[in-house]
Amino acid sequence: MAILLRGILIAVGGALLEAFWWMPFIFGTFLVITGIRMARHTDTTEHPADSRILGLMRRVLPLTEDFRGASMTVKENGKRLFTPLFVAFVALAFFDLMFAVDSVPAIYAITDDPFIVLAANAFALLGLRTLYFAIATSLERFIYLQPTLAIVLGWVGFKMIISHWYHMPPLISLAVILTILAIGILASVRANRKAEAAGA
């Protein structure tokens, strides 16, 4: 379902870019704003029970109070009810779509081939999810990784904004991204060493 929803989002994004010459400005500005918000983000944990999606589904759909094995729907007293497993299924798919809102414009800044965009997103879904715990550990070890990624996102957005006047060679863009990542990682390693030395 995540791949299907991303496919729809990719198709819509491609159609908008084809129909309106000024869409790269919108997508690029969106990426820059997203990067700024990511850089200013503070860690907040929201309980799943407080989710807006869950609240909306509770108002719209008749739900059971507990899980019913592996069933997503059950029939009770002649009425079809949805289980929390169905809610989790839909919520995960839409949360993934929300995360894809910035990744789809970002990859369109690199290539305008819808097949490559869809393939890259599919491989990301299949591969990056298995690396979740490694990525979570990296976020703890590399304290400047999040602002570094925010800068990368802002750079990609900036490149998309200026694409109407200047088409940047991919190697130059890649070199800038690798430089930003290297600076962020090295700064994190140095900060960790200072913290360990202070603790010792």
Side-chain angles (χ1 to χ4, degrees):
M1 186 173 182
I3 293 177
L4 175 63
L5 291 175
R6 285 200 182 206
I8 295 172
L9 189 63
I10 288 167
V12 171
L16 289 174
L17 288 172
E18 285 288 334
F20 306 105
W21 65 269
W22 42 264
M23 281 308 298
F25 298 103
I26 304 298
F27 283 177
T29 303
F30 173 76
L31 290 175
V32 172
I33 293 173
T34 303
I36 294 172
R37 292 182 62 184
M38 181 185 292
R40 299 174 60 184
H41 176 71
T42 55
D43 291 331
T44 55
T45 304
E46 182 179 336
H47 194 277
D50 300 327
S51 169
R52 294 181 181 178
I53 293 178
L54 182 56
L56 177 63
M57 293 183 71
R58 279 178 172 167
R59 288 194 297 270
V60 174
L61 300 175
L63 301 176
T64 61
E65 294 296 328
D66 53 357
F67 287 92
R68 304 296 172 87
S71 300
M72 292 193 181
T73 63
V74 293
K75 199 169 185 179
E76 292 183 354
N77 301 323
K79 187 178 181 181
R80 179 66 63 180
L81 301 176
F82 295 90
T83 67
L85 185 62
F86 176 80
V87 175
F89 174 78
V90 175
L92 281 173
F94 276 94
F95 280 138
D96 178 84
L97 185 65
M98 290 167 60
F99 283 113
V101 167
D102 58 353
S103 65
V104 170
I107 197 169
Y108 266 122
I110 300 171
T111 177
D112 56 359
D113 188 333
F115 175 76
I116 296 178
V117 175
L118 181 60
N121 275 268
F123 277 113
L125 287 170
L126 295 171
L128 293 180
R129 287 167 183 259
T130 60
L131 296 175
Y132 169 78
F133 293 104
I135 295 172
T137 303
S138 298
L139 286 173
E140 294 177 1
R141 292 182 57 191
F142 301 108
I143 58 176
Y144 296 121
L145 184 58
Q146 181 168 315
T148 301
L149 295 177
I151 294 172
V152 169
L153 202 60
W155 163 252
V156 173
F158 170 75
K159 191 183 79 165
M160 201 168 194
I161 291 173
I162 67 171
S163 63
H164 183 69
W165 300 281
Y166 175 67
H167 184 72
M168 187 172 298
L171 288 178
I172 294 178
S173 178
L174 180 61
V176 172
I177 291 173
L178 290 177
T179 302
I180 295 170
L181 289 174
I183 292 172
I185 292 173
L186 291 174
S188 298
V189 171
R190 186 176 180 181
N192 289 337
R193 287 179 178 174
K194 283 186 177 180
E196 290 173 0

